[in-house]
């Protein structure tokens, strides 16, 4: 069938047979890229997710491949082989329409929203850490050579990876037109653009992102890609998945938790800032524990492996923090703050991010977190 953009009634027709006859459909997503609908019927409800041929947040002038729907379906199914309980089920996929029918995680809320609201989310960080270890090691060096070769071929460097290159590694350091930045931060942005150490480090990390084919990574593992319900966490939104460096996923999650912690501290809520810090530590500890549990018994270099992931993750976390302040796509954790605390939090995030990117490599989680959230040397 020829591609067309769904509205709610088209989504209802598309999912009709999976809900025993659709009786209600409404758009539920407010993401940057796709259209997402909930369709209800006699037999329950499903989610319909359709890729648009452009970047929704930027408009039709910024084309973006619909192939991302296929990547999402395939990566979801691959990761579900390792941890089916932590990812939604794919009920149906239509390549022509670039549309998926997914299990409805009704009642689940975005982890980012819960963190912004200062809600406790016990166990979630550890589940995300366990997910990361299972899928990164399971598609990485624990997979057989043949399987890895096949996956590397399947999940090559996509247009979505090019988007990440641009938005994370390049635009924030080159005064790109797509950047969105508050007027008060203009000197900070100018300083970044003139910071040769920073630009060289970002370019080097872009090279690592492009060339280090370690595992099938999620590729966009921030707190908005985690849904939380009474039955725990689910990882969603896998269209950025590709064979890349493991530390990218780990660093992106840590960077987003650092932004959350900074946001709460900037409003004087040190107590909840520490709760978020404990979640970041739980995420990392669960990643290490699960990695140790599934590690190949014959391979003795576990500690070096973990140290390498931490060192990469620290760098990527720093870039993530900076791009969420001066790049195109910000985070509500910071943007929703009142002006005074928002500006303080933005400066703190850029300084923390810079210290992770150009400082010495992080050797421990505690070191990475302390640098990410430090409020020393604010300018
Ligand atoms: C414009 S799309 C931008 C961002 O949204 C996604 O969630 C990714 O983080 C991407 O960089
Ligand atoms: Mg996303």
């Amino acid at each position: 069938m020829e591609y067309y953009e769904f509205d709610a009634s088209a989504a209802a027709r598309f999912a009709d047979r999976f809900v025993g006859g659709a009786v209600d459909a409404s758009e539920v997503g407010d993401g940057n890229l796709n259209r997402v609908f909930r369709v209800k019927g006699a037999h329950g409800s499903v989610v319909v997710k359709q890729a648009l041929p452009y970047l929704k947040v930027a408009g039709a002038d910024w084309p973006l491949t619909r192939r991302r729907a296929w990547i999402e379906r395939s990566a979801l199914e691959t990761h579900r082989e390792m941890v089916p309980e932590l990812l939604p089920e794919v009920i149906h996929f239509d390549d022509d329409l670039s549309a998926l029918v997914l299990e409805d995680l009704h009642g689940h809320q975005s982890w980012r929203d819960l963190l912004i609201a200062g809600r406790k989310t016990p166990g979630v960080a550890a589940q995300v850490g366990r997910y990361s270890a299972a899928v990164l090691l399971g598609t990485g060096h624990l997979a057989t050579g043949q399987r890895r070769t096949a996956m590397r071929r399947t999940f090559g460097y996509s247009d979505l990876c090019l988007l990440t290159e641009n938005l994370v590694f390049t635009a924030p350091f080159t005064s790109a037109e797509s950047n969105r930045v508050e007027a008060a931060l203009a000197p900070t942005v100018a300083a970044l653009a003139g910071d040769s150490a920073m630009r060289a480090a970002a370019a080097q990390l872009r090279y690592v992102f492009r060339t280090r084919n370690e595992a099938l990574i999620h590729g966009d593992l921030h707190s908005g890609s985690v849904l939380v319900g009474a039955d725990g966490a689910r990882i969603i939104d896998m269209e950025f998945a590709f064979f890349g460096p493991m530390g990218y996923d780990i660093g992106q999650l840590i960077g987003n938790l650092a932004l959350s912690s900074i946001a709460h501290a900037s409003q004087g809520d040190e107590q909840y800032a520490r709760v978020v810090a404990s979640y970041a530590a739980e995420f990392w500890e669960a990643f290490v524990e699960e990695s140790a549990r599934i590690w190949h018994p014959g391979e003795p270099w576990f500690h070096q492996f973990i140290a390498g992931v931490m060192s990469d993750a620290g760098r990527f976390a720093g870039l993530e923090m900076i791009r969420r302040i001066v790049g195109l796509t910000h985070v509500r954790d910071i943007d929703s703050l009142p002006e005074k605390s928002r500006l303080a939090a933005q400066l703190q995030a850029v300084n923390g991010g810079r210290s992770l990117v150009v400082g010495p490599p992080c050797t421990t989680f505690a070191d990475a977190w302390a640098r990410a959230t430090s409020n020393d040397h604010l300018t």
Side-chain angles (χ1 to χ4, degrees):
M1 181 182 284
E2 205 176 326
Y3 178 84
Y4 65 97
E5 280 182 30
F6 286 176
D7 56 14
S9 48
R13 282 195 302 280
F14 180 66
D16 189 72
R17 66 196 150 114
F18 305 107
V19 293
V23 294
D24 182 52
S26 55
E27 187 154 7
V28 290
D30 65 349
N32 293 328
L33 284 99
N34 307 297
R35 299 196 78 168
V36 183
F37 304 88
R38 171 170 289 120
V39 179
K40 295 181 187 165
H43 298 162
S45 60
V46 294
V47 161
V48 173
K49 178 170 180 178
Q50 188 187 39
L52 301 173
Y54 54 86
L55 190 57
K56 194 174 99 182
V57 71
D61 291 345
W62 191 324
L64 190 62
T65 177
R66 288 192 281 115
R67 175 82 174 163
R68 63 187 188 271
W70 182 91
I71 296 172
E72 171 152 28
R73 186 281 304 256
S74 309
L76 257 174
E77 287 183 342
T78 305
H79 280 187
R80 273 180 62 87
E81 288 174 30
M82 284 126 218
V83 272
E85 71 281 13
L86 293 179
L87 296 138
E89 185 192 345
V90 181
I91 296 166
H92 177 65
F93 172 64
D94 187 310
D95 207 5
D96 293 333
L97 294 170
S98 308
L100 295 105
V101 178
L102 296 163
E103 172 189 358
D104 183 10
L105 298 170
H106 195 46
H108 285 236
Q109 282 177 274
S110 136
W111 196 19
R112 187 184 300 286
D113 288 346
L114 293 168
L115 294 171
I116 290 172
R119 299 264 302 278
K120 300 268 175 72
T121 61
V124 168
Q127 285 179 318
V128 184
R130 182 165 68 81
Y131 156 80
S132 294
V135 303
L136 296 180
L137 274 69
T139 61
H141 62 286
L142 297 193
T144 63
Q146 265 180 338
R147 180 88 206 282
R148 289 194 69 237
T149 306
M151 282 190 289
R152 279 165 76 155
R153 209 172 288 132
T154 304
F155 297 102
Y157 206 72
S158 71
D159 287 359
L160 282 290
C161 300
L162 293 174
L163 181 66
T164 299
E165 272 196 17
N166 179 356
L167 296 180
V168 177
F169 297 91
T170 309
F173 311 102
T174 52
S175 313
E177 258 181 43
S178 58
N179 291 340
R180 288 194 302 117
V181 55
E182 298 215 16
L185 249 68
T188 307
V189 172
L192 282 174
D195 184 339
S196 55
M198 186 72 223
R199 288 183 67 154
Q204 188 190 2
L205 287 164
R206 185 177 54 220
Y207 174 82
V208 172
F209 181 79
R210 245 184 227 172
T211 58
R212 191 103 71 66
N213 308 141
E214 289 176 349
L216 179 61
I217 71 170
H218 180 286
D220 196 26
L221 191 61
H222 55 79
S223 52
S225 296
V226 179
L227 295 184
V228 180
D231 55 352
R234 297 289 186 284
I235 314 301
I236 60 163
D237 285 356
M238 297 213 45
E239 56 266 73
F240 285 82
F242 78 112
F243 239 73
M246 299 185 187
Y248 188 76
D249 278 1
I250 305 295
Q252 196 177 20
L253 209 267
I254 292 174
N256 276 272
L257 293 178
L259 291 171
S260 167
S261 186
I262 288 171
H264 284 282
S266 78
Q267 295 188 93
D269 191 351
E270 292 292 346
Q271 202 183 351
Y272 193 75
R274 279 195 296 276
V275 169
V276 180
S278 75
Y279 292 160
E282 279 167 30
F283 162 70
W284 172 250
E285 281 155 19
F287 170 75
V288 175
E289 262 171 41
E290 182 66 5
S291 297
R293 198 183 67 75
I294 60 182
W295 190 252
H296 266 182
E299 294 191 42
W301 56 288
F302 180 71
H303 295 291
Q304 291 96 317
F305 164 77
I306 291 293
V309 175
M310 183 75 258
S311 154
D312 289 344
R315 301 279 193 231
F316 289 126
L319 285 183
E320 175 70 5
M321 293 172 72
I322 295 171
R323 73 104 169 198
R324 295 295 192 181
I325 306 297
V326 305
L328 172 67
T329 45
H330 293 199
V331 288
R332 263 183 304 104
D333 314 53
I334 305 271
D335 277 12
S336 61
L337 297 173
E339 187 175 8
K340 197 161 162 242
S341 33
R342 184 173 71 245
L343 291 176
Q346 288 178 330
L347 270 182
Q348 187 175 343
V350 171
N351 283 324
R354 186 180 185 282
S355 137
L356 290 172
V357 175
V358 299
C362 294
T363 52
T364 62
F365 168 78
D367 173 27
W369 187 259
R371 280 155 61 184
T373 57
S374 161
N375 59 9
D376 293 345
H377 314 300
L378 285 186
T379 49

